[in-house]
Amino acid sequence: MRLPALFTVPGDALAGAAAVSARPTARTLLAIASSLCLYEAGMALNDWADRDVDAVERPHRPLPSGRIRPAAALGAACALTGAGLSLAACAGRPALTVAVPLAATVWAYDLSLKNTPAGPFAMATARGLDLLLGAAATAGAGVVGGMDGLGRKVGASRAWATDVTDEPRPALRAAAVPGAVGGTHRALPSPSLLGDRQAFPSAALLSIRQALPSAALLGTHTLAVTTVSRREAQGGSPLAPFAALAVTAALTRTVTRQRSLPTDRIAGSRRGTGSRRPADVAGLAAAAMSRLSRPTRQTGAHKSPPGPTPDPLDTHAALRLALAATYAATTARPYLHATLNPSPPLTQRAVTAGIRATIPLQAALTARSGAKGATVTALLTTALAPLAGRFARKVSVT
């Protein structure tokens, strides 16, 4: 089951939640549980599919050594896959929509793609989908739930609230109630009109689109590690670890930068990134007036400039830099050694380092999002690294 590698899974969903600028919720925890089941299903299925190869290269593994029967391993893979999909369904329809292709990718990789040129890309796709699973589960919470007095979903995301209150669609105009200020209308649609047809595209698909950059970065790291691992038992060319070293440098440079977000995600997706909703404009105007009305200190006839205030962005930037440096330090030396001498022991050490580096990369992506609570979530993700290191001394990661 590769217990040390299991600690690299929760950070996917947490980074996905941060990518949609949301704090982890109960649905995020369900997404994590689903990911753990699907990850372990892939581990069991991988050993079942490679039992003949492992009998030659790794006879100490459970199946070649006879400690586990092949039928038991295959049964465990099926049961864990079913459990993972069930947990994703509990997290909502958007999460299940992502979990199904994730499970299909895991099975396709283990049964047919692993030893083909598409193998590393399939593994990278699975890791990226795992991050999107957390994003869809967290932001898709507004698909279900009660209604408030304005016809909005309780607990719905900003996309859902905007879709109902600002610009009612033609199907909802029949239920609009006139008499609002300025001639505008607020829709009071029935629950039947607030089905998944509108909530799912507006909330879940938008969240998936927002999380795609983080998923691409995490998938790129996974692609590099998987490419190196293809020759870990026999050793091979130094090109793979050298390319992984270059990828690490590029990812380190990227995650140190603050992620740029559109001014208004919802309005930007419909009317351009520069547009703002009236409520947002009013809020900005009120904030500006509040700043102008603050009293200033006077010294005689001259105004004294305000004193310096601490910038919270400096703390966030320092955290991103520290996490990015941890990610680079975890992989740089093993990759360099494998480049200079691509022997099986050094290549396996490079693969192990690449898997362990997934945790600080996830934490860096979380901190880079700038979401509320991202600092705490990033630190919690980082705390998984020592646990993975402790178990790695007892059980091999690869």
Side-chain angles (χ1 to χ4, degrees):
M1 305 300 280
R2 318 287 207 291
L3 182 60
L6 200 61
F7 291 94
T8 67
V9 176
D12 291 342
L14 295 177
V20 295
S21 301
R23 293 178 178 177
T25 64
R27 295 176 182 273
T28 311
L29 297 179
L30 287 172
I32 292 175
S34 173
S35 299
L36 292 173
C37 290
L38 294 177
Y39 191 87
E40 291 291 27
M43 290 293 186
L45 185 64
N46 177 76
D47 277 13
W48 180 84
D50 287 353
R51 60 191 184 278
D52 295 334
V53 177
D54 288 342
V56 178
E57 296 180 353
R58 300 178 179 90
H60 60 279
R61 282 192 169 180
L63 269 69
S65 63
R67 300 195 305 273
I68 299 295
R69 293 181 295 108
L74 182 60
C78 295
L80 287 168
T81 300
L85 294 177
S86 298
L87 288 167
C90 293
R93 183 179 175 183
L96 180 61
T97 304
V98 179
V100 169
L102 172 58
T105 303
V106 170
W107 278 73
Y109 173 81
D110 286 333
L111 296 181
S112 61
L113 299 179
K114 180 166 52 178
N115 296 320
T116 69
F121 295 95
M123 184 66 77
T125 300
R127 183 66 77 166
L129 286 172
D130 200 30
L131 188 146
L132 296 180
L133 174 60
T138 304
V143 175
V144 295
M147 303 283 295
D148 68 1
L150 294 178
R152 293 174 295 193
K153 286 283 186 175
V154 175
S157 66
R158 182 182 177 188
W160 172 240
T162 303
D163 205 26
V164 175
T165 60
D166 289 344
E167 296 178 355
R169 298 183 180 182
L172 302 180
R173 293 186 185 277
V177 178
V181 177
T184 58
H185 298 266
R186 286 195 178 272
L188 293 175
S190 62
S192 61
L193 293 177
L194 296 175
D196 291 343
R197 289 179 299 175
Q198 293 184 16
F200 181 78
S202 61
L205 294 183
L206 178 64
S207 68
I208 291 175
R209 184 166 68 242
Q210 290 176 343
L212 281 176
S214 296
L217 294 175
L218 188 60
T220 301
H221 166 76
T222 305
L223 175 64
V225 177
T226 308
T227 303
V228 176
S229 69
R230 291 170 70 86
R231 301 292 298 177
E232 64 176 328
Q234 303 87 9
S237 171
L239 293 179
F242 179 76
L245 186 62
V247 167
T248 299
L251 291 178
T252 301
R253 177 180 176 85
T254 301
V255 297
T256 54
R257 302 173 179 174
Q258 175 70 36
R259 181 187 175 193
S260 59
L261 295 175
T263 302
D264 190 320
R265 298 184 187 89
I266 310 305
S269 63
R270 295 181 181 174
R271 300 180 293 274
T273 56
S275 60
R276 293 180 182 267
R277 295 190 299 153
D280 294 335
V281 175
L284 291 175
M289 293 298 295
S290 176
R291 293 191 188 97
L292 291 175
S293 62
R294 290 175 184 172
T296 57
R297 293 176 295 177
Q298 299 285 341
T299 303
H302 301 282
K303 296 180 180 180
S304 61
T309 57
D311 187 359
L313 294 179
D314 293 341
T315 303
H316 297 163
L319 179 61
R320 293 197 309 270
L321 183 61
L323 292 172
T326 303
Y327 164 66
T330 304
T331 57
R333 186 173 181 180
Y335 281 161
L336 180 60
H337 287 174
T339 301
L340 298 176
N341 181 14
S343 61
L346 293 180
T347 303
Q348 292 174 11
R349 189 176 301 174
V351 174
T352 300
I355 295 175
R356 292 176 56 191
T358 304
I359 296 177
L361 177 59
Q362 294 164 339
L365 291 174
T366 301
R368 176 176 178 261
S369 66
K372 291 183 178 180
T375 299
V376 176
T377 305
L379 293 177
L380 289 176
T381 303
T382 306
L384 298 174
L387 296 175
R390 173 183 295 183
F391 285 102
R393 289 191 285 268
K394 299 180 180 180
V395 182
S396 175
V397 178
T398 62

